[in-house]
């Protein structure tokens, strides 16, 4: 999932920061030349047509979700739609991402879209963008910087995703005593915390008992290893329900359940969040019982907000995208048309 | 005084005992459809990737080097193998799977040769030379899979990690790898020469040891073993997850090597120690699950156990403890009234 890169790559990040620092020093002169030639470039751009230049600072390409998100942005900010997109993927390195945003400011883009890698440390560069009168639109994750430093935020409500998953569980199991295990996302990440909280709220009044909970780091391997542990600990008969914080861990859990001689979806029911292609396929095959979508197709919305903001319209500061939910039957209908 | 594997083995036995006392089913092994199941069997199976990587790491460390690129090589190997199988018309064909595995391992070998070239020929510090591939390799793997997780349904490929011949097939792979590495190093002069290079590269070169070739082949071997690990990892989840495959495995491999009693300074190495070191790490991972250590606390738990194990193994601590016991005895011997009891 998308937040895992932040924590898991700290070590890598530490080293790349050095490399980026060097690169930034080396690139200093080149960005100066860009700034020098900026006037000419802008005039050329304007005379060529009314293309709106947008700089998009993506986190990296850590997951299927992220790839779909990038594709969606590239499609929405296409030339046909009147945009010229300058794309930058920072490989989950916060320093590189801030450098990229600074590059956009120097290039004098019309608007900047950021999918922040981390929440903190954005004040300075956002202030620079504000001083240059370039509006900033945030997508996906948020920042801790004051709200007046950016135009708007569009993203998902992780807690509500957890609530939806919990509501399904409450409806399906209700007063039946149910033993549930949880495959958590990366410890401390926003999606993991919020999805756990939402689910627990929605199932508080039910007979569902959380017998164990461990992190599977949002990966298939993590989900499988943790599930194997749960299965040797409690046995196939000792677990009724698995709540996985994302599809990949649910897919790993399916492997573990099958290897232990159980039937996923029947002996042990599975509910997960994301609705990536492989997850939806497992849902259709009856191995997962319910999926709450975590929609990566934010491009259209982001493009809409860029246009509104540039036209001087008032927009809401926080915009949540409505997530869909899928039962096995609904998945069968929806899968052929899905873009990711 | 004691065998140098005493403390690592004692630690492993202690961990298994603690688990068994906490939950008796940890030690239980059941037979189903002619296969053995149980937590201990799981450990033998799950340890395969780390085991292969750690065996290679042991040889590299023995030459006074280090290989940080093993995780990235795993990611590349898995990505190559799955892309070939995914692109074929018949993923269930054993020939296709064999071809995919061979191509993945050849590419892994080339990556190892590259590392070896940087270290042995250009004389670049191993930590920097392999860092290049550690950073770039994962990017290459992501390019191969186009940023997506490539999933395949291929029965022969799945067999590599999830197949059974009474015991898990993956277990046999690492036992075979350990045997091959062990025999090559210990039944020929290669092991002694590797240690000589690690203890003093210049002196061994002057003594006529072809240290360049030995260092080069150590990195090549490490990469091939990491390539096999990558295939087992991908087979286990039927998918090439370029982001997560082998993440941080280089650090765990270094830990396993150290727990097994091999010095990071190079020279003397113990393959058996590394095997025990890997089993300690894998058992510790299972322990956290079995004892139900909360996710947020598990890294601390892991660290505390590792520190305790390393301290227990420390020769200096043993010396201090011996001196303490000796001086205590000497003091008591000076008091005749206690003498009989103590000696008795």
């Amino acid at each position: 999932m998308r937040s895992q890169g932040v924590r898991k790559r700290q070590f890598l990040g530490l080293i790349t920061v050095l490399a980026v620092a060097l690169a930034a020093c080396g690139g200093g002169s080149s960005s100066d030349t860009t700034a020098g030639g900026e006037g000419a470039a802008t005039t050329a751009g304007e005379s060529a047509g009314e293309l709106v230049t947008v700089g998009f600072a993506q986190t990296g390409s850590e997951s299927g979700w992220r790839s779909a998100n990038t594709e969606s942005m590239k499609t929405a900010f296409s030339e046909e739609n009147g945009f010229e997109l300058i794309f930058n993927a920072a490989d989950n390195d916060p320093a590189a991402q801030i450098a990229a945003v600074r590059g956009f400011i120097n290039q004098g883009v019309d608007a900047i879209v950021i999918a922040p890698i981390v929440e903190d440390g954005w004040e300075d560069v956002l202030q620079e963008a504000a001083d240059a009168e370039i509006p900033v639109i945030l997508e996906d994750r948020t920042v801790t910087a004051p709200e007046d430093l950016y135009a708007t935020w569009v993203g998902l409500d992780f807690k509500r995703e957890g609530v939806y998953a919990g509501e399904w569980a409450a409806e399906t199991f209700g007063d039946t005593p149910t033993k549930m295990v949880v495959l958590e996302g990366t410890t401390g990440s926003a999606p993991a915390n919020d999805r756990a909280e939402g689910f627990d709220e929605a199932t508080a009044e039910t007979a569902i008992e959380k017998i164990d909970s461990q992190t599977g780091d949002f990966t298939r391997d993590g989900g499988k290893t943790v599930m194997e542990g749960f299965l040797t600990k409690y046995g196939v008969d000792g677990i009724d329900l698995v709540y996985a914080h994302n599809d990949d861990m649910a897919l790993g859990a399916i492997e573990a359940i099958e290897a232990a001689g159980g039937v996923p979806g029947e002996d042990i029911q599975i509910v997960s969040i994301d609705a990536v292609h492989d997850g939806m396929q497992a849902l259709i095959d009856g191995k997962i019982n319910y999926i709450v979508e975590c929609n990566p197709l934010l491009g259209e919305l982001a493009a809409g907000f860029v246009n509104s903001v540039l036209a001087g319209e008032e927009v809401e500061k926080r915009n949540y995208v409505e997530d869909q939910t899928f039962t096995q039957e609904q998945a069968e209908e929806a899968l052929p048309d899905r873009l990711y | 005084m004691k065998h140098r594997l005493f403390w690592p083995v004692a630690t492993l036995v202690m961990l298994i005992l603690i688990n068994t006392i906490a939950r008796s089913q940890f030690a239980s092994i059941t037979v189903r459809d002619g296969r053995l199941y149980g937590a201990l069997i799981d450990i033998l199976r799950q340890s395969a990737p780390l085991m292969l990587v750690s065996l290679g790491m042991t040889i590299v460390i023995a030459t006074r080097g280090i290989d940080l690129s093993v995780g990235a090589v795993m990611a590349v190997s898995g990505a190559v193998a799955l892309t070939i199988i995914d692109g074929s018309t018949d993923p269930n064909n054993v020939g296709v799977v064999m071809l995919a595995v061979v191509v993945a391992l050849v590419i892994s070998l080339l990556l190892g040769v590259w590392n070896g070239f940087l270290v042995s020929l250009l004389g670049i510090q191993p930590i920097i030379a392999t860092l290049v591939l550690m950073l770039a390799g994962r990017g290459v793997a992501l390019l191969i899979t186009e940023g997506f997780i490539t999933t395949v349904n291929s029965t022969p490929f799945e067999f590599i990690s999830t197949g059974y011949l009474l015991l898990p097939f993956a277990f046999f792979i690492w036992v075979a790898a350990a045997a091959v590495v062990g025999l090559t190093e210990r039944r020929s002069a290669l092991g002694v020469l590797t240690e000589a290079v690690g203890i003093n590269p210049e002196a061994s070169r002057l003594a006529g040891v072809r240290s360049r070739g030995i260092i080069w082949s150590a990195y090549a071997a490490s990469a091939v073993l990491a390539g096999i690990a990558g295939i087992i990892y991908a087979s286990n989840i039927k998918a090439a997850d370029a982001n997560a495959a082998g993440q941080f495995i280089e650090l765990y491999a270094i830990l396993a090597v150290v727990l097994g009693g091999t010095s990071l300074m190079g020279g003397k190495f113990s393959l058996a120690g590394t095997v025990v070191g890997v089993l300690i790490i894998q058992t510790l991972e299972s322990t956290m699950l079995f004892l139900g250590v909360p996710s947020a606390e598990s890294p601390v738990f892991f660290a505390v156990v590792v520190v305790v194990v390393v301290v227990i193994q420390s020769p200096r601590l043993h010396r201090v403890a011996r001196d303490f016991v000796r001086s205590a005895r000497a003091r008591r011997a000076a008091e005749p009234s206690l003498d009989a009891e103590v000696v008795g």
Side-chain angles (χ1 to χ4, degrees):
Chain A
M1 254 302 304
R2 63 190 102 147
S3 298
Q4 78 190 68
V6 180
R7 233 171 59 96
K8 292 186 74 176
R9 292 209 172 175
Q10 270 173 354
F11 177 71
L12 226 152
L14 200 76
I15 292 152
T16 33
V17 162
L18 285 171
V20 169
L22 288 173
C25 299
S29 56
S30 71
S31 58
D32 281 349
T33 27
T34 323
E38 184 199 323
T42 318
T43 340
E46 274 165 8
S47 60
E50 294 88 53
L51 285 187
V52 177
T53 316
V54 175
F56 174 40
Q58 178 63 289
T59 57
S61 54
E62 66 273 13
S63 62
W65 190 97
R66 188 60 64 186
S67 308
N69 180 249
T70 301
E71 275 312 304
S72 155
M73 296 296 275
K74 283 184 173 169
T75 315
F77 288 99
S78 64
E79 275 187 34
E80 297 89 75
N81 293 347
F83 292 100
E84 188 192 341
L85 183 69
I86 307 171
F87 178 76
N88 179 289
D91 205 14
N92 280 303
D93 177 355
Q97 192 175 37
I98 287 176
V101 172
R102 219 157 250 152
F104 293 152
I105 298 170
N106 285 338
Q107 289 172 44
V109 296
D110 298 316
I112 297 173
V113 181
I114 308 174
I117 296 166
V118 290
E119 293 187 340
D120 300 316
W122 285 100
E123 284 81 359
D124 289 350
V125 73
L126 287 180
Q127 188 61 53
E128 286 167 36
D131 292 345
E133 294 182 0
I134 301 171
V136 173
I137 287 90
L138 304 175
E139 73 126 14
D140 181 24
R141 298 174 202 163
T142 59
V143 298
T144 52
E147 277 197 353
D148 54 330
L149 287 178
Y150 55 89
T152 182
W153 169 87
V154 56
L156 300 141
D157 190 342
F158 300 132
K159 190 176 165 188
R160 195 156 56 186
E161 290 164 4
V163 170
Y164 283 155
E167 280 171 352
W168 171 82
E171 216 169 275
T172 312
F173 295 97
D175 298 330
T176 327
T178 307
K179 299 209 179 301
M180 176 183 71
V181 294
V182 181
L183 302 174
E184 304 165 26
T186 304
T187 311
S189 70
N193 291 343
D194 296 353
R195 284 171 187 174
E197 196 187 326
F199 190 95
D200 290 348
E201 261 175 38
T203 54
E205 306 289 313
T206 63
I208 298 172
E209 181 201 352
K210 191 191 325 185
I211 55 171
D212 218 327
S213 178
Q214 267 288 337
T215 178
D217 260 330
F218 283 131
T219 64
R220 290 192 198 188
D221 184 59
K224 182 170 182 182
T225 311
V226 172
M227 195 64 207
E228 280 169 347
F230 286 160
L231 286 166
T232 32
K233 202 167 160 184
Y234 304 106
V236 176
D237 302 329
I239 302 170
D240 305 310
L241 173 67
V242 175
Y243 171 38
H245 285 177
N246 80 343
D247 284 352
D248 282 324
M249 291 192 294
L251 291 166
I254 289 171
E255 303 274 317
I257 295 168
E258 283 176 344
V263 182
E266 286 175 26
D267 296 340
I268 298 177
Q269 299 212 24
I270 302 175
V271 51
S272 82
I273 296 172
D274 252 10
V276 295
H277 184 274
D278 289 346
M280 290 292 274
Q281 191 57 54
L283 182 60
I284 292 171
D285 297 341
K287 294 174 176 178
I288 295 180
N289 301 78
Y290 194 71
I291 292 184
V292 179
E293 184 183 45
C294 178
N295 192 342
L297 306 181
L298 303 174
E300 290 291 331
L301 282 162
F305 282 120
V306 167
N307 282 332
S308 312
V309 170
L310 286 176
E313 292 166 23
E314 280 290 311
V315 290
E316 290 280 326
K317 276 286 173 192
R318 298 184 73 78
N319 304 283
Y320 288 110
V321 180
E322 188 63 29
D323 281 317
Q324 277 181 285
T325 58
F326 295 100
T327 60
Q328 291 171 344
E329 295 77 32
Q330 287 165 333
E332 206 151 347
E333 266 172 46
L335 188 63
D337 302 326
R338 285 173 73 78
L339 298 167
Y340 63 99
Chain B
M1 174 181 88
K2 284 182 192 116
H3 194 273
R4 59 180 172 160
L5 281 182
F6 176 80
W7 286 108
V9 172
T11 308
L12 183 60
V13 171
M14 208 135 65
L15 274 174
I16 293 174
L17 275 180
I18 290 171
N19 275 301
T20 314
I21 292 164
R23 276 180 169 270
S24 57
Q25 70 265 51
F26 186 84
S28 83
I29 292 173
T30 55
V31 185
R32 196 170 60 235
D33 310 332
R35 299 167 172 191
L36 296 179
Y37 282 97
L40 293 171
I41 306 291
D42 273 351
I43 290 172
L44 291 182
R45 194 177 66 78
Q46 288 166 350
S47 56
L50 183 60
M51 187 69 78
L52 291 161
V53 166
S54 301
L55 288 170
M57 189 68 83
T58 310
I59 305 300
V60 171
I61 285 177
T63 67
R64 209 189 264 190
I66 201 134
D67 189 351
L68 295 183
S69 71
V70 283
V73 173
M74 271 180 74
V76 171
S77 159
V80 168
L82 281 225
T83 307
I84 293 173
I85 296 173
D86 191 38
S88 80
T89 46
D90 182 13
N92 282 315
N93 188 319
V94 179
V96 169
V97 172
M98 299 265 266
L99 176 79
V101 169
V102 168
V103 172
L105 293 186
V106 167
I107 290 179
S108 303
L109 174 67
L110 290 178
L111 294 175
V113 168
W114 164 255
N115 279 336
F117 166 75
L118 292 182
V119 175
S120 67
L121 221 62
L122 301 189
I124 298 173
Q125 289 278 338
I127 198 165
I128 300 302
T130 55
L131 183 69
V132 172
L133 199 53
M134 173 188 176
L135 296 173
R138 204 166 285 281
V140 171
L142 279 167
L143 280 177
I144 296 171
T145 58
E146 291 166 349
F148 288 91
I149 297 176
T150 312
T151 310
V152 297
N153 282 308
S154 162
T155 320
F157 189 68
E158 283 159 31
F159 185 81
I160 295 170
S161 173
T162 54
Y164 270 84
L165 304 165
L166 185 63
L167 285 166
F169 186 62
F171 167 67
F172 293 114
I173 296 179
W174 74 249
V175 169
V180 168
V181 174
L183 289 177
T184 327
E185 293 285 339
R186 294 306 186 198
R187 284 282 168 267
S188 73
L190 186 62
V192 178
L193 297 179
T194 306
E195 289 182 347
V197 169
I199 292 165
N200 192 330
E202 192 54 25
S204 50
R205 194 185 62 79
L206 292 173
V209 179
R210 295 169 63 184
S211 59
R212 188 171 286 166
I214 285 171
I215 293 175
W216 204 326
S217 59
Y219 285 91
S222 170
V224 171
L225 288 166
I228 303 174
I231 285 167
I232 293 177
Y233 182 96
S235 160
N236 189 36
I237 56 173
K238 300 187 201 171
D241 188 346
N243 255 299
Q247 185 123 46
F248 293 142
I249 202 165
E250 60 281 344
L251 299 177
Y252 284 101
I254 294 167
L255 178 63
V257 172
V258 172
L259 286 179
T262 300
S263 162
L264 287 180
M265 301 304 288
K268 291 222 169 300
F269 65 96
S270 165
L271 289 168
T274 298
V275 170
V276 178
V278 170
L279 292 176
I280 290 175
I281 293 177
Q282 205 64 47
T283 310
L284 192 48
E285 300 268 353
S286 297
T287 305
M288 292 193 287
L289 257 171
F290 255 74
L291 298 186
V293 180
S295 309
E297 290 158 26
S298 53
V300 177
F301 180 88
F302 189 90
V304 167
V305 175
V306 166
V307 167
V308 169
V309 171
V310 172
V311 167
I312 287 177
Q313 290 190 29
S314 147
R316 188 167 296 173
L317 184 82
H318 295 170
R319 208 161 41 239
V320 169
R322 250 197 326 272
D323 291 351
F324 181 78
V325 170
R326 204 171 294 150
S327 69
R329 275 194 187 151
R331 253 202 314 280
R332 283 179 193 178
E335 298 169 39
S337 60
L338 285 170
D339 189 36
E341 286 169 42
V342 174
V343 174

